[in-house]
Amino acid sequence: MQKLQLTLAIIKPHAVKNPIALSYIRNVIKNKFVVIKTKRVSLDKETAENFYKEHVGKFFYNRLVTFMASGCIDLHVIGHSNAIELWRRLLGPTKVYKAQFEEPYCLRSLFGISDTRNVAHGSDSPTSAEREIKFFFPDFSFYDWHHNDEVVYRKGPIIFNDFLFQHVRRL
Ligand code: ADP
Ligand code: MG
């Protein structure tokens, strides 16, 4: 089995508030990835602006950061040999109408309600994944994780802790 790659999944506020959407999305995550870290947070606008700073100046920037600061979001650091691409493929196209037309069963198609409220975020490259995971989990060391933990999450023994919504080492 190939080494695990990590990515950051963020479940956006409208999906966190919708129990049907949230349980469906969580099942997809749990069935396809190992879940390394999970945390629910509520962002202030400044933190949301900072996270999305690559989009400063775009017409949707203000509505995006206002929306992301409007309620709780769920952060998941997830692992798979092809985590970045797989999670983005499961999400589908950024724009919900395009998603519904082209990929009716992707997550954005099933639970998206507008181009801004498009269910979830996924890092778009290894560099962004590292930056974004560090942004929300400043204590997380990629070096330590790849050297000490990766093999355990890849080969086991691990079990899924439903309460934490994370895989943990089986002692
Ligand atoms: P993705 O989330 O698919 O990587 P982008 O990085 O281009 O997409 O955009 C970041 C987020 O900004 C999107 O997930 C969506 O919430 C919002 N967004 C992007 N394009 C638009 C748009 N045309 N209209 C409204 N919101 C948008
Ligand atoms: Mg993006």
Side-chain angles (χ1 to χ4, degrees):
M1 202 171 31
Q2 272 188 306
K3 289 204 167 196
L4 295 172
Q5 180 185 61
L6 299 181
T7 192
L8 179 70
I10 306 177
I11 315 304
K12 298 188 180 186
H14 71 293
V16 169
K17 287 191 192 108
N18 173 344
I20 308 275
L22 192 63
S23 72
Y24 186 100
I25 296 163
R26 284 185 158 218
N27 269 329
V28 169
I29 291 177
K30 181 178 157 179
N31 290 333
K32 304 231 182 245
F33 298 87
V34 285
V35 184
I36 313 299
K37 290 214 172 286
T38 285
K39 180 162 81 172
R40 179 166 291 186
V41 298
S42 170
L43 300 185
D44 56 35
K45 204 167 166 204
E46 199 188 333
T47 309
E49 283 170 354
N50 215 343
F51 180 74
Y52 278 115
K53 63 179 182 232
E54 67 180 284
H55 296 298
V56 169
K58 294 188 183 161
F59 76 92
F60 58 79
Y61 179 67
N62 191 48
R63 78 177 76 147
L64 173 63
V65 297
T66 304
F67 167 56
M68 290 304 281
S70 71
C72 288
I73 57 172
D74 281 354
L75 308 166
H76 304 292
V77 177
I78 55 178
H80 182 276
S81 58
N82 189 27
I84 294 171
E85 195 196 319
L86 176 61
W87 175 239
R88 286 184 67 91
R89 200 161 69 228
L90 291 164
L91 286 180
T94 305
K95 294 190 173 180
V96 168
Y97 287 120
K98 182 174 151 85
Q100 288 174 342
F101 189 72
E102 290 179 0
E103 288 174 49
Y105 298 105
C106 71
L107 294 175
R108 284 172 163 168
S109 181
L110 292 171
F111 303 114
I113 49 184
S114 71
D115 289 343
T116 304
R117 292 180 283 177
N118 62 354
V119 183
H121 167 87
S123 311
D124 63 9
S125 67
T127 312
S128 327
E130 191 161 343
R131 177 188 88 82
E132 293 174 358
I133 291 168
K134 279 250 164 236
F135 185 94
F136 286 116
F137 298 90
D139 295 338
F140 186 83
S141 161
F142 267 68
Y143 183 88
D144 289 349
W145 190 82
H146 281 289
H147 283 82
N148 303 326
D149 302 326
E150 189 273 340
V151 67
V152 180
Y153 284 96
R154 180 159 38 98
K155 294 185 177 165
I158 52 170
I159 50 165
F160 193 76
N161 180 315
D162 283 294
F163 178 72
L164 297 174
F165 195 78
Q166 272 173 212
H167 284 95
V168 291
R169 283 170 190 250
R170 197 177 68 211
L171 298 172

